[in-house]
Amino acid sequence: MNELIPLMVIVPLIAALLISAFSKFNKVAKILAFVVAICLPLIPLLSNYGLHYFGGYAPIMDNVTGTMFHPAITYSFTFFQQVFIGMIGLLTFLVIFIYLTKYKNVSGPYLFLLFLGTAAVTAMILTDDIFHMFVFFEILALAQVGIVAASSIDYSYEMALKYMILGSIGSPIMLLGIGFLLALTGSVNVSDIAAAVHNGLVDITSPVFLMSLGLIFFGWLYASGLPPFHTIKSGIYSKAEPHGAALLQSFTVISMISIVLIMIRIYSTLPIFEVLIVFFSILAMILGVSLALTQTDFRRMIGFLAVGELGFIGLGIGLGTNFSITAGLFQALNEIMITALLFIGFGAIVEATNEVDTRKLGGLLAYHPKVSIMLLIGGMAMAGVPPLNGFQSKLMLVQASLSCGFPELSILAIMVSIATFVVFVKTFYTMFLKPKPNDLELENKEVPRSMIFTMGVLLIIIIVLGLFPDVVTTGISNFVGGIL
């Protein structure tokens, strides 16, 4: 077994606890947070692919049926997990870097929440145990609420409370669905449940099995921020610190793909499963870009665009082919980077202007050209402008829709991408190109260098993946082939 695999979860968990315990010692907390943050993207790069069985309990073969049973919680680590955990680790490092340079005295509880959320999403994408996944899903939900509540933005407490109340509904519903699966199969290991379903040991037309799908699917909608939860999800992004919003969005994307990949393995034999995913994804695409058009608060605008981009991910996964799921997962990776760049970039504008209403801004290109240019490229990447990474994943999604015999979905994807481009061009013109309002003070207001550095790192990755998408798509395709 590769002992580095569980360290991807254990290290940020222990760091969260230690930083919280030593939060009174500001310098110690800063050094510990920085060192651990550096380690987060390195551990997945140094780990070998394979499985880790907690407690050393290897799978057991039933000699009568020839079925393999997994008595231990199992972590599976492949190229797919390596790419996404590495990206989350890098983003966490960049977010911690911004936070440590911004505040002279750091908050131990806030750093605790950042590391706790990172550990939770890492466990969710690694685990092959659906109840283990749920436990960390709950931990992640609490961390998200805390990150929003700890921000200094008006009405953040109210938004955190709303999200927590919805979570008190969505999470138990998902747990009930998991309980139904346990009752049907006698296991919470995803491989064992999938084997029981595909070997005919479970009647897939039974009301209990169908009810489990409905309950877990509802929980997935809550975790992903797809309709009807799109408004509250975009709301928590707008009420978090910019660096916190960047991390929250990455948590949402990882939650979305972690849960839906488990559902694919269990429910892929049900035709209604893919129909549901495509339907809610299309709804998210349309509502996301439509609501973004009406926003004057650019934080809400990016939040709604992020919801629309989640629809592209779901569209690829819902089509159900190797190529389409690969496209959807590549889109998920791209969204993590692009949306983080936009949240941090627009957050830099807030730092410089103390203003979030686009109607009160203008002329920023002359004062902050670096941020302006990087935001422009990030917006084009989100809209799918070549040769950036967003173009590559959306082109794959269009091709996947055509190959599956749904040209109307291809047309919809193109139209939503064009609308996204229109939204961003309108916002960019309003903020950066139109004449500066007379009452807007911009003199001697600098953008934090840590934010510019973070945007630069993300922009390099966006451009590289746009020029060389095969660097990740080949390995993701091999992973998808293994679960279909």
Side-chain angles (χ1 to χ4, degrees), residues 444-460:
N444 301 320
K445 290 188 177 181
E446 295 294 329
V447 172
R449 292 182 179 180
S450 58
M451 285 186 164
I452 295 177
F453 170 76
T454 297
M455 294 176 68
V457 172
L458 294 172
L459 191 60
I460 290 172

Side-chain angles (χ1 to χ4, degrees), residues 278 281 285 308-332 334-335 382 384 389-414 417 473:
V278 171
S281 298
M285 292 165 64
E309 294 299 300
L310 291 174
F312 282 94
I313 300 172
L315 177 63
I317 293 172
L319 290 174
T321 65
N322 186 308
F323 184 74
S324 70
I325 296 175
T326 300
L329 294 176
F330 185 35
Q331 171 68 16
N334 292 337
E335 185 179 353
M382 176 174 277
N389 61 348
F391 165 75
Q392 297 290 357
S393 56
K394 289 186 176 181
L395 176 62
M396 291 175 65
L397 288 168
V398 170
Q399 293 172 334
S401 300
L402 289 173
S403 63
C404 291
F406 299 107
E408 57 275 11
L409 294 181
S410 299
I411 295 172
L412 175 64
I414 294 171
S417 296
T473 54

Side-chain angles (χ1 to χ4, degrees), residues 163-238:
Y163 190 69
M164 186 168 63
I165 292 173
L166 285 177
S168 67
I169 300 171
S171 296
I173 287 177
M174 177 184 282
L175 181 60
L176 185 58
I178 294 172
F180 284 169
L181 285 179
L182 175 61
L184 285 170
T185 64
S187 177
V188 290
N189 181 273
V190 178
S191 296
D192 292 349
I193 296 172
V197 172
H198 295 297
N199 291 335
L201 301 178
V202 175
D203 180 10
I204 62 173
T205 62
S206 70
V208 176
F209 187 72
L210 295 175
M211 181 62 74
S212 71
L213 168 61
L215 295 172
I216 295 175
F217 192 87
F218 183 86
W220 176 68
L221 293 177
Y222 162 73
S224 306
L226 296 176
F229 301 103
H230 57 289
T231 303
I232 188 70
K233 185 62 84 169
S234 64
I236 67 169
Y237 298 151
S238 66

